[in-house]
Amino acid sequence: MAKEPLLAVEGLNVGYAGSAALNDVSLAVQAEELICVIGANGAGKTSLIRTIAGIVCPTRGRIAWRGRDIVGMSPWEICELGIAQVAEGREVFPNLSVEDNLLIGGSLKRARGRRDANLRRVYELFPRLDERRRQSAGTLSGGEQQMLAIGRAMMSEPEMIMFDEPSIGLSPALTTVMFDVVKKLHSHRITILLVEQNVASSLAIGDRGYVLENGSIVLEGTGAGLLSNQDVRRAYLGL
Ligand SMILES: Nc1ncnc2c1ncn2[C@@H]1O[C@H](COP(=O)(O)OP(=O)(O)O)[C@@H](O)[C@H]1O
Ligand SMILES: [Mg+2]
């Protein structure tokens, strides 16, 4: 019998004021997998993450975490289950210091008791944040804000982190750093759901992937399999 997935999305529909953003989307994430969802601008990637995070309410379908239905739970309750997200555009609190941003992530019940140890762990992973603990987050560079958003997610000791286009707006060099960070978190046995337009870099590190087009999953496979798929190469890699 197949293992029960950590996260199962089944027949998910999401719409905004009548227009559909996701249509009958199903996917499964096993514990400790790194799963990519690739798709162009407007495909529905952010809607998928925001729906799993409890920010957007689906019109149909089921989202199960360890077999338990989580549709209707608040974003906060979903974070307490161990599902963290690093949002598109980072969404750090610009007027708070770096450290205060991190402490907000560490205020969840699941990780509150180990806050200081987790803070040390984040500063070890991102020494640049350590150097800038007292600086207000709004004055950080784009790459540093991305690190802060990841650090804040890590403060809650998540089992799964959802990344919404972590490479967007970053230089090629910083993009490489960012994918290395995602790989590193995965090597620490954190389950990853990565949505990206950067198809080549994300499929290269993904165990498996799904291709999202106009709100529907049109293809799925291993990272390597999708990377060598003719349709994917033609549509997303210009090959
Ligand atoms: N808050 C919103 N209100 C209305 N339409 C939205 C909203 N958010 C997204 N959409 C629409 O839903 C579709 C999917 O958007 P989104 O999930 O942001 O895609 P992606 O992240 O892949 O670019 C797009 O057509 C977009 O215009
Ligand atoms: Mg998006």
Side-chain angles (χ1 to χ4, degrees):
M1 206 177 80
K3 252 195 322 185
E4 180 178 69
L6 186 61
L7 176 80
V9 173
E10 292 162 10
L12 199 68
N13 284 12
V14 171
Y16 303 102
S19 78
L22 293 178
N23 178 36
D24 198 21
V25 166
S26 297
L27 57 87
V29 180
Q30 302 290 342
E32 297 181 23
E33 270 190 315
L34 195 169
I35 298 296
C36 315
V37 175
I38 59 167
N41 222 350
K45 303 181 300 298
T46 298
S47 299
L48 175 65
I49 285 193
R50 290 172 68 89
T51 308
I52 296 168
I55 300 162
V56 169
C57 193
T59 50
R60 203 183 71 99
R62 180 165 183 267
I63 303 172
W65 176 253
R66 297 187 182 290
R68 171 182 173 197
D69 204 329
I70 61 169
V71 170
M73 289 176 64
S74 72
W76 196 258
E77 289 170 319
I78 288 173
C79 288
E80 285 286 7
L81 293 175
I83 304 175
Q85 64 154 331
V86 177
E88 191 182 26
R90 342 319 179 192
E91 292 181 8
V92 298
F93 297 101
N95 298 320
L96 295 185
S97 69
V98 164
E99 187 144 308
D100 284 343
N101 268 275
L102 293 173
L103 292 177
I104 288 172
S107 63
L108 286 162
K109 263 194 231 105
R110 59 181 283 111
R112 206 179 278 163
R114 291 171 299 282
R115 208 179 69 167
D116 293 347
N118 288 333
L119 200 54
R120 276 197 300 277
R121 208 160 55 103
V122 169
Y123 286 144
E124 266 164 37
L125 183 65
F126 299 120
R128 291 181 77 90
L129 296 181
D130 193 4
E131 293 158 17
R132 290 165 175 73
R133 333 175 152 206
R134 307 269 161 247
Q135 194 172 319
S136 61
T139 63
L140 297 177
S141 73
E144 290 162 356
Q145 288 190 24
Q146 184 68 278
M147 291 173 196
L148 179 56
I150 296 170
R152 191 177 57 187
M154 292 194 55
M155 288 295 293
S156 67
E157 301 181 358
E159 277 183 73
M160 180 176 85
I161 302 182
M162 302 189 286
F163 285 91
D164 194 349
E165 301 206 43
S167 76
I168 203 164
L170 300 184
S171 68
L174 266 179
T175 297
T176 305
V177 170
M178 208 46 69
F179 280 101
D180 285 345
V181 168
V182 173
K183 262 197 310 203
K184 187 165 184 185
L185 296 177
H186 184 228
S187 75
H188 286 112
R189 310 179 67 180
I190 298 177
T191 305
I192 310 276
L193 181 63
L194 170 66
V195 313
E196 261 293 347
Q197 281 188 61
N198 190 333
V199 170
S201 301
S202 42
L203 288 181
I205 62 169
D207 297 317
R208 292 189 300 116
Y210 296 84
V211 180
L212 189 62
E213 275 180 18
N214 295 318
S216 299
I217 304 278
V218 295
L219 206 57
E220 62 177 279
T222 61
L226 288 175
L227 211 42
S228 60
N229 179 287
Q230 270 313 321
D231 294 334
V232 171
R233 292 168 71 82
R234 216 174 290 122
Y236 296 97
L237 301 170
L239 298 171

